[in-house]
Amino acid sequence: MPGPWAGLPPGPVVMGILNATPDSFSDGGLHLDPGLAVAAGLQMVADGAAILDVGGESTRPGSAPTPPDEERRRVLPVITAAGVKLSVDTRNVGTMAAALDAGATVINDVSALSHDALALPLVASRGCPVVLMHMRGTPATMTGMTSYGDVVSDVLAELSARLALAEAAGIRRANVAVDPGIGFAKTPAGCIALLRGLSAFRNLGCPILVGVSRKGFIGGLSGVADPAGRAAGSVAAGLYAVSQGASILRVHDVAATVQALRVWQGLAG
Ligand code: HH2
């Protein structure tokens, strides 16, 4: 078993999603105002989130990039004011550095530090924990890159290659959490196959973070079209992911997820 990561308890733990964006797929516009974002984040912590993931760029399928200076304008006031354990969800090295300077302690990069050439050396030199997530292409192009031989072994191999590059750049494996990237260059069937095969990612020797919250495959399985109405399905998928080896769940619905995890763990003993 991997040791503690990012100072978090061994898990399963909840990472609350705090998107300071106008256009995120399920909570866009809700937390664009820094005061509202901080209040929502503190509520998530009160509800049991172990860490908050602050993002200023939507990476939903088909989305265009957000200019890094606009991204920083959105996230930095929230990071500065929140005063709790924070990660920053960004692909841009300038935002990573500014967020760490402002008090964030973890980098969460959906491109696994591939989008920005300076990201690997920055994270290595700061010695901070990092989430390496699997994606192909970019949010703008990824929907056309969902063809795999075997999705579990292909994603595992591609993520393993990113992990090797991170280690070669001087990032300690103990500082890395891995994430199969649910919904990023994956069909709904691919997402389901990855969750069923999640235990294979244990071989990487890192904590496994999973972001299923409100995503499209849950709409497909549940028949609920509105992402904001998918809390129950997201909790079910999160518990399933934990049963397959996930130890960090990135979620919108913190209170419901924490309650479900407590009951499930109490029953499992
Ligand atoms: N999913 C999203 C964004 N960041 N990071 C990790 N590590 N894993 C994920 O699955 C993941 C992520 C997309 O979800 P959300 O932030 O809710 O939406 P948007 O990208 O539209 O802001």
Side-chain angles (χ1 to χ4, degrees):
M1 273 298 285
W5 175 82
L8 297 175
V13 295
V14 167
M15 168 186 269
I17 301 172
L18 199 51
N19 284 321
T21 58
D23 55 349
S24 286
F25 79 94
S26 84
D27 58 353
L30 287 181
H31 307 133
L32 202 49
D33 174 82
L36 292 179
V38 171
L42 295 179
Q43 184 60 52
M44 289 183 198
V45 172
D47 288 340
I51 183 168
L52 302 178
D53 190 34
V54 182
E57 175 187 49
S58 172
T59 49
R60 71 192 183 284
S63 55
T66 300
D69 57 343
E70 169 62 16
E71 180 188 42
R72 286 194 287 280
R73 213 181 52 75
R74 293 175 185 172
V75 299
L76 289 179
V78 182
I79 291 170
T80 306
V84 297
K85 195 167 188 59
L86 295 172
S87 67
V88 62
D89 183 354
T90 184
R91 304 179 282 162
N92 299 305
V93 74
T95 305
M96 291 176 191
L100 291 171
D101 291 343
T105 55
V106 177
I107 301 296
N108 172 28
D109 184 350
V110 297
S111 81
L113 305 179
S114 72
H115 176 75
D116 202 316
L118 297 175
L120 282 169
L122 175 90
V123 171
S125 70
R126 296 295 188 105
C128 61
V130 61
V131 182
L132 299 181
M133 195 199 80
H134 176 271
M135 174 171 61
R136 284 176 171 177
T138 66
T141 63
M142 65 187 179
T143 43
M145 306 175 81
T146 58
S147 183
Y148 297 87
D150 176 86
V151 68
V152 175
S153 46
D154 290 359
V155 169
L156 183 58
E158 291 170 22
L159 198 51
S160 183
R162 290 304 311 168
L163 180 59
L165 281 175
E167 284 194 286
I171 296 171
R172 289 167 51 234
R173 186 176 288 235
N175 267 346
V176 176
V178 291
D179 180 341
I182 298 299
F184 288 81
K186 321 287 178 334
T187 61
C191 294
I192 293 166
L194 275 169
L195 290 170
R196 288 182 178 154
L198 197 65
S199 62
F201 289 79
R202 286 173 160 152
N203 294 338
L204 297 175
C206 302
I208 300 171
L209 186 151
V210 166
V212 291
S213 192
R214 302 184 182 177
K215 286 189 176 165
F217 80 97
I218 292 176
L221 289 174
S222 64
V224 177
D226 177 9
R230 296 177 186 156
S234 302
V235 168
L239 290 184
Y240 180 78
V242 168
S243 78
Q244 301 304 306
S247 58
I248 305 151
L249 296 179
R250 181 181 181 276
V251 310
H252 301 88
D253 302 291
V254 171
T257 309
V258 168
Q259 182 184 138
L261 278 171
R262 284 181 185 155
V263 172
W264 189 69
Q265 285 181 291
L267 290 169

